[in-house]
Amino acid sequence: MRFTILGPVEAVAPGSDAPGLAPRHRAVLAYLLLHAGVAVSTDRLIDAMWGPLPPDSARAQIQTTIAAIRRMLRASEADGMLATRPAGYVITPEPRQLDLDEFTSLTARAAAASGDPGDAAEQMRAALALWRGEPLADISAHYVQSARVRLNGQLLTAVERLAELELARGRHDDLIDELSVHAAANPLRERLCCQLMLALHRAGRQTDALDVARTFRATLADQQGLDPGHAFTKLEQDILRDAPDLRPPVTASAKPQGNNFLPYDVPDFTGREGELDGLIRLWSGNKGGIVTISAIDGMAGVGKTTLAVHAGHRLAGHFPDGQLFIDLQAHTAGQAPLDAGAALEILLGQLGVPTQQIPASVADRAALWRSELSGRRVLAVLDNALGADQVRQLLPGSSRALILITSRRRLTDLDGAHALSLDVLPAADALELFTAIVGQRAAAEPLAVLDVLQLCGFLPLAVRIAAARLHHRPRWTVAHLAARLRDQRRRLSELSTSERGVAAAFTLSYEQLTGDQQRMFRLLGLQPGRDISPEAASALADLPLEEAEMLLEDLLDAHVLSQHQLGRYTFHDLLREHALATAAAQEPPDRQREALGRLFHHYLHTACAAVDHLYPEGKNHRPRIPARDAPAPPPRDEAEAITWLDGERPNLMATAQYAAEHDLLPHAGQLAATLHRYLLGHAHQADALTLCDLALRAARLSGDTAAEARTLIDLGQVHFWWHGAYEQAAEHYRQALDLARANGDQRVAAAALQALSAVFRRRREYDQAHDHCAQSLELFRELGDRGGEARCLTDLGIVHGRRGRYEEAHEHHRNSLLAYRETGSRIGETVVLNNIGLLYQRQGRYDEARHHHSQALDLSRRFDFPGDEAESLNALAEAARSTGDLAQAAAEHHNALTIARECSYRPEQARAHDGLAHVHRDLGRIDLAHDHARQALDLYTVLAVPEADEIRTFLTGLPPTPSEPEPSASSGDQSS
């Protein structure tokens, strides 16, 4: 994780998008980060957020926010960072995770470097580079104004300290623009104004310096009625008389004295500020005269050489004895990599050693190289290295040298080197680069520019080539370029010029791989998912797990694969296309089919095993996938099952989509039948709907009416449970029932009858619900299906409870609970516990009700059933309101609403709004009662359920809000 508060507040995990946090959540997170390492109580957080007049729901909002922050941290594998202590909540970021901590550390290091003004200035500039505008820029809370003032004070102090250091080094010209911006934003900052005056005077701009002085005097008098201090007055007088002691100090020239062999520094260099600052800090923090080595690695086209050259030019002034550069030709078309002897000859020549004095042997050349560097301050860029062996003899011994090495491989064997792995550009930097090359045409089509950047995968080389093509084709629009790039068959060819191209760069990387690595690279291009695990790669390549994992790590080190999550490997989008094209050219079609067949079988077999752990009651009704020689054992328990399914879900969906598009529809149908219960239970309703549609198409194309009937029931469940589209669900259930009866399929007929019973129950047509459920129960018992029997018993218990037949209802629920526990169904157990709790509520036994709802809540959280979690919270809230605990009711309804919105569970959203409307009415908050009641009415109306009439009646009985006066007798409103 990386947290930033010196600008817009963000919490970003490496290689992933920022986990979504609402504004209030970010406000609380920022406050905790401002007090990192200190326990912050709930009361203190409430005061920080709202001040002396918090809303009644403040405590509940804080609890919800802490839960949201924990979820965000958990998703980024940083859940231990936020802890609860007796004194409150404590967040403890690791070093370099919080920009404010890093800023404080760098300014402290600058203060400690008093003996080296250049070093101190570099530290201070690195600290200031962490600021991205106004601190806490996007946060609205009571504490923000004072915190922002305090943080801006720290910023200005750092700016003034930097100015002091740079003025002492005679670098006044470089300061003027920077100080002018800060002085304009802080016109009453006297020290800042004095530094700007001095910089202008030393630059020969005495008139401008005195204009700054007059403006400051006038502003200070107008706004505060004060005169400037003594130091200001003396400086002003000294500038008037051009006092000798104001002249710049005599310092050594900042210009390099040795030869500069660095290539041209591109004028449109963009971004990489964090990486540049890291390189600067690495060198400036290295004391004791030891060589500093940074190995910059990354995929082809990511900008390694450009960064190293740009860093070299920025740091050139600190290396007066020369700036050297050599291309080691590891990935140069038509060239063999340079050996150490040839490289040393070039480097020694750049140092000025005559050719006739360069020894013949590699060992002697390396010794001379170390000797020549021992007394010099030199920067050397060793570009395009093949590996550690190629550069090991090029490294100096003891000197104040900085060595920057670039390579497409991670130089893991280079002891003592600082590793810097480059990723693609952030979107904002890629946009800046594209615009710098294209000009105003980019500003005219912002959405099309974003399309181009995404199609380029934000790879710097690809962005540069695309922008250059557009720049040299004045009749093209950005949208036209995007359309050309969108065609995957020619995207790589579009990203090429006569001198360079993305595909050519990728080909050179591929040719450096071993035969086994090349085969794995090709096969990975075939798999339809976004990433792959070692187990899946093992199945794809038909290799032992250990060998497959080793090849994946080799490809990772070669930067043809990336790893944004432990144990998962992925391609850059353009490299994926290159791998697929290479596979199409070099892998025979039958081998491609065999590889994909092995991968698909692995996914199906493991998915079956995982779903069986979570929903064992349906084990015998899902497809049975025969076992093969598995690369690794399947999940062993429920926790491992959830982890595997959650991790592989995008790949399983991509596999189903691929199967549907490549005449493998039966495979899509098997995946749909296998995954449906998991997807439905864990709030992945969009995926469930997609798979049902694919499975239905497969069944109808093949004429498999039995599969069609089963899929219709699955499709109806998605519409029923999540969308609340009961009419549409009922139609699917009826079609399934007709097909099942025509086929003589009693199991599907029983399932359809039970599903229709739920529709009737939702409409409060209890006779119909009871009759359908009784028929379903009889069929399930004849079949010996305990899972189906348990579902029917639950439904009958609900119907009896609604009719006031409490003893019969309890009896059915007890039998249902026994059946679910017998079959190991955690989701079924959760449902029954909630229904028993509701039954106790109807009987006025609220303690027993809350006990059962709490058990259901624990299970739903333990096994990640978000829909059932929302149901449990709403039920707990209703029990709390019945006993007069309105604050608890409001908090639990609010939490239920948050979860139901997150998982798009409309019935529970409506229920939460309904409950909050009643709670706020009881608390006298009529505005909020109206608001929640209207939202509940909107949802109930869409769901077409009887609750719509009840909430409408509730709304009619509410007093008007202050902005809605009582209708007068003459208004004609007779609704009362």
Side-chain angles (χ1 to χ4, degrees):
M1 291 296 297
R2 173 142 179 105
F3 301 100
T4 60
I5 57 178
L6 302 180
V9 174
E10 288 183 349
V12 181
S16 71
D17 296 332
L21 285 177
R24 179 65 64 195
H25 299 163
R26 292 203 310 276
V28 171
L29 175 63
Y31 187 80
L32 291 172
L33 291 169
L34 282 168
H35 301 82
V38 176
V40 180
S41 67
T42 300
D43 289 339
R44 187 173 168 191
L45 282 171
I46 290 172
D47 181 69
M49 295 302 111
W50 293 281
L53 296 173
D56 291 342
S57 62
R59 190 168 298 274
Q61 289 194 48
I62 292 296
Q63 293 169 350
T64 301
T65 297
I66 292 295
I69 294 172
R70 288 191 196 279
R71 283 196 297 273
M72 179 270 294
L73 292 172
R74 192 179 306 118
S76 303
E77 299 182 350
D79 46 323
M81 191 180 297
L82 179 60
T84 303
R85 299 284 184 264
Y89 303 106
V90 180
I91 193 165
T92 312
E94 296 291 331
R96 298 181 63 82
Q97 282 189 316
L98 174 59
D99 57 359
L100 179 58
D101 282 352
E102 194 172 355
F103 170 79
T104 304
S105 174
L106 287 167
T107 54
R109 286 166 59 182
S114 56
D116 187 345
D119 184 16
E122 294 293 351
Q123 301 283 1
M124 198 61 76
R125 285 204 178 277
L128 291 170
L130 295 168
W131 290 72
R132 299 173 303 123
E134 191 78 46
L136 308 170
D138 53 351
I139 297 298
S140 297
H142 180 71
Y143 74 88
V144 167
Q145 183 175 359
S146 59
R148 191 175 287 148
V149 168
R150 185 173 66 256
L151 291 172
N152 278 326
Q154 295 179 39
L155 168 65
L156 292 175
T157 299
V159 169
E160 291 165 349
R161 174 59 179 149
L162 175 63
E164 178 184 309
L165 291 166
E166 298 291 46
L167 287 169
R169 300 169 68 202
R171 301 182 58 150
H172 41 270
D173 289 313
D174 297 338
L175 276 175
I176 291 173
D177 289 344
E178 191 173 358
L179 287 176
S180 297
V181 171
H182 287 292
N186 302 274
L188 298 179
R189 191 87 174 185
E190 184 170 307
R191 186 184 182 198
L192 200 61
C193 178
C194 288
Q195 291 172 330
L196 177 57
M197 291 163 58
L198 181 58
L200 288 167
H201 176 67
R202 286 181 174 177
R205 298 168 58 181
Q206 185 186 41
T207 302
D208 291 339
L210 293 172
D211 280 344
V212 170
R214 282 190 291 272
T215 301
F216 177 77
R217 276 185 175 278
T219 304
L220 189 63
D222 289 345
Q223 295 190 19
Q224 296 190 354
L226 299 174
D227 292 327
H230 173 72
F232 176 91
T233 304
K234 182 180 183 304
L235 176 62
E236 186 179 30
Q237 292 171 351
D238 287 348
I239 290 173
L240 277 168
R241 62 186 180 86
D242 192 18
D245 58 355
L246 293 187
R247 292 169 188 167
V250 178
T251 60
S253 172
K255 299 294 183 183
Q257 297 171 353
N259 291 327
N260 188 332
F261 291 91
L262 294 175
Y264 175 64
D265 187 17
V266 293
D268 52 18
F269 183 89
T270 302
R272 303 296 190 201
E273 288 303 317
E275 291 88 346
L276 282 167
D277 290 341
L279 290 173
I280 292 169
R281 287 198 301 272
L282 176 71
W283 172 77
S284 61
N286 188 0
K287 305 300 182 183
I290 301 173
V291 176
T292 303
I293 305 167
S294 185
I296 305 170
D297 56 71
M299 65 181 289
V302 82
K304 302 177 294 295
T305 302
T306 304
L307 173 64
V309 170
H310 185 72
H313 282 288
R314 276 188 57 172
L315 290 167
H318 300 285
F319 299 93
D321 297 322
Q323 301 83 46
L324 316 182
F325 179 89
I326 185 170
D327 180 1
L328 297 174
Q329 299 181 357
H331 299 92
T332 303
Q335 300 289 334
L338 285 182
D339 60 33
L344 285 165
E345 182 177 6
I346 295 171
L347 290 169
L348 287 166
Q350 291 181 3
L351 280 179
V353 178
T355 303
Q356 62 272 19
Q357 295 181 16
I358 298 176
S361 75
V362 174
D364 289 343
R365 287 180 177 183
L368 179 60
W369 165 247
R370 291 191 294 272
S371 175
E372 287 291 329
L373 286 184
S374 62
R376 308 192 196 204
R377 296 183 63 167
V378 168
L379 180 150
V381 176
L382 311 182
D383 187 44
N384 202 5
L386 180 63
D389 288 343
Q390 189 185 21
V391 299
R392 191 168 282 113
Q393 295 189 75
L394 310 183
L395 302 181
S398 177
S399 77
R400 284 286 296 196
L402 172 62
I403 309 298
L404 301 178
I405 306 169
T406 73
S407 176
R408 294 187 189 179
R409 290 183 174 273
R410 286 192 174 94
L411 304 184
T412 54
D413 294 333
L414 203 59
D415 295 338
H418 168 77
L420 173 60
S421 293
L422 289 191
D423 203 346
V424 296
L425 287 173
D429 292 346
L431 175 61
E432 184 180 347
L433 173 60
F434 188 86
T435 304
I437 299 171
V438 172
Q440 291 301 314
R441 293 161 70 190
E445 299 177 79
L447 294 180
V449 170
L450 184 59
D451 282 346
V452 169
L453 297 178
Q454 290 175 331
L455 290 165
C456 290
F458 301 99
L459 185 68
L461 175 61
V463 173
R464 282 188 176 279
I465 293 174
R469 285 176 70 81
L470 187 64
H471 178 70
H472 292 291
R473 289 162 177 78
R475 295 186 182 276
W476 281 19
T477 62
V478 183
H480 176 71
L481 173 62
R484 295 175 69 92
L485 292 174
R486 204 170 282 115
D487 184 349
Q488 293 186 3
R489 294 169 300 178
R490 64 179 189 180
R491 185 181 305 170
L492 289 173
S493 62
E494 288 287 331
L495 294 173
S496 64
T497 66
S498 59
E499 297 182 354
R500 60 181 178 174
V502 173
F506 290 166
T507 298
L508 288 169
S509 292
Y510 175 76
E511 290 173 349
Q512 294 290 341
L513 303 175
T514 67
D516 289 342
Q517 293 167 357
Q518 289 179 347
R519 177 177 177 266
M520 179 64 84
F521 175 83
R522 295 193 300 270
L523 294 180
L524 291 175
L526 297 174
Q527 62 103 7
R530 296 298 302 170
D531 61 18
I532 198 165
S533 68
E535 293 79 9
S538 171
L540 178 72
D542 197 19
L543 293 172
L545 177 60
E546 294 78 8
E547 186 175 345
E549 189 166 18
M550 187 179 299
L551 288 173
L552 291 173
E553 286 292 316
D554 291 342
L555 296 178
L556 183 66
D557 286 340
H559 281 290
V560 295
L561 282 183
S562 302
Q563 189 177 60
H564 299 307
Q565 183 182 348
L566 183 65
R568 309 203 71 81
Y569 302 82
T570 188
F571 279 121
H572 182 277
D573 285 349
L574 296 176
L575 261 171
R576 185 188 307 278
E577 292 178 21
H578 186 70
L580 180 58
T582 307
Q586 299 184 22
E587 289 288 335
D590 59 334
R591 290 186 185 173
Q592 294 183 41
R593 287 192 298 272
E594 289 169 2
L596 285 174
R598 291 190 299 267
L599 176 65
F600 291 178
H601 183 275
H602 162 75
Y603 280 145
L604 254 178
H605 177 70
T606 314
C608 277
V611 174
D612 285 350
H613 279 301
L614 298 179
Y615 306 99
E617 74 281 5
K619 182 176 182 178
N620 296 325
H621 313 317
R622 287 187 287 269
R624 292 292 91 200
I625 308 301
R628 293 182 181 174
D629 291 335
R636 293 168 295 182
D637 55 31
E638 293 157 320
E640 288 188 6
I642 292 174
T643 299
W644 189 88
L645 287 164
D646 287 349
E648 295 289 3
R649 179 170 58 86
N651 294 326
L652 296 170
M653 293 301 300
T655 298
Q657 196 68 48
Y658 180 94
E661 294 169 356
H662 291 80
D663 198 25
L664 297 169
L665 278 171
H667 184 82
Q670 286 182 311
L671 264 178
T674 300
L675 295 174
H676 174 75
R677 197 68 192 87
Y678 154 73
L679 294 173
L680 198 64
H682 294 261
H684 305 304
Q685 56 268 33
D687 287 349
L689 193 60
T690 297
L691 282 186
C692 283
D693 287 340
L694 292 175
L696 192 61
R697 182 153 60 97
R700 286 172 174 169
L701 283 174
S702 63
D704 187 345
T705 55
E708 180 181 357
R710 291 193 299 269
T711 305
L712 283 167
I713 292 177
D714 290 346
L715 193 58
Q717 288 178 333
V718 178
H719 291 301
F720 181 94
W721 289 109
W722 291 101
H723 301 161
Y726 305 118
E727 301 297 327
Q728 191 172 358
E731 182 58 31
H732 290 314
Y733 296 151
R734 289 192 183 96
Q735 291 178 31
L737 182 59
D738 290 343
L739 286 171
R741 284 172 170 167
N743 294 332
D745 191 334
Q746 285 189 303
R747 190 178 305 280
V748 174
L753 286 165
Q754 187 261 332
L756 280 168
S757 168
V759 174
F760 288 121
R761 188 186 74 240
R762 195 69 185 86
R763 297 178 190 159
R764 299 184 185 174
E765 299 173 11
Y766 296 128
D767 289 343
Q768 288 271 54
H770 182 277
D771 290 347
H772 280 73
C773 199
Q775 293 178 58
S776 176
L777 177 61
E778 183 179 351
L779 288 173
F780 278 131
R781 281 177 169 165
E782 288 177 5
L783 294 164
D785 187 332
R786 288 287 280 161
E789 182 181 351
R791 290 195 300 275
C792 289
L793 289 169
T794 300
D795 289 353
L796 287 171
I798 296 171
V799 170
H800 286 308
R802 297 287 173 82
R803 288 172 158 177
R805 299 172 181 171
Y806 298 137
E807 288 303 320
E808 292 171 87
H810 276 297
E811 180 66 20
H812 280 90
H813 284 319
R814 280 193 295 270
N815 290 332
S816 175
L817 189 58
L818 286 172
Y820 277 131
R821 287 174 173 168
E822 177 186 314
T823 59
S825 174
R826 300 293 191 171
I827 186 69
E829 187 176 348
T830 304
V831 171
V832 177
L833 286 169
N834 266 330
N835 280 302
I836 293 173
L838 292 174
L839 189 57
Y840 279 128
Q841 284 198 55
R842 289 178 175 274
Q843 296 176 277
R845 298 160 65 178
Y846 298 113
D847 288 343
E848 291 162 288
R850 288 190 65 85
H851 173 71
H852 283 78
H853 295 316
S854 296
Q855 286 184 296
L857 181 63
D858 290 342
L859 281 173
S860 64
R861 286 174 171 170
R862 179 182 171 192
F863 296 103
D864 190 27
F865 303 138
D868 296 274
E869 183 179 359
E871 290 188 34
S872 301
L873 286 166
N874 271 329
L876 282 166
E878 289 158 359
R881 184 164 68 88
S882 296
T883 58
D885 190 348
L886 299 180
Q888 186 68 25
E892 286 169 337
H893 274 314
H894 180 80
N895 290 341
L897 181 59
T898 300
I899 293 166
R901 280 174 171 166
E902 287 175 353
C903 63
S904 303
Y905 193 5
R906 288 197 295 192
E908 290 305 310
Q909 290 179 50
R911 184 180 176 187
H913 280 303
D914 191 334
L916 285 167
H918 284 80
V919 170
H920 287 304
R921 187 273 313 275
D922 295 347
L923 288 168
R925 300 168 181 163
I926 304 305
D927 282 356
L928 290 173
H930 273 275
D931 180 56
H932 284 290
R934 290 192 189 99
Q935 294 186 67
L937 177 59
D938 290 343
L939 285 165
Y940 283 144
T941 302
V942 171
L943 299 174
V945 290
E947 286 89 340
D949 291 333
E950 294 169 359
I951 199 68
R952 191 177 290 112
T953 301
F954 173 85
L955 262 171
T956 303
L958 279 178
T961 64
S963 59
E964 297 176 353
E966 292 275 9
S968 65
S970 60
S971 67
D973 187 335
Q974 303 297 318
S975 61
S976 60

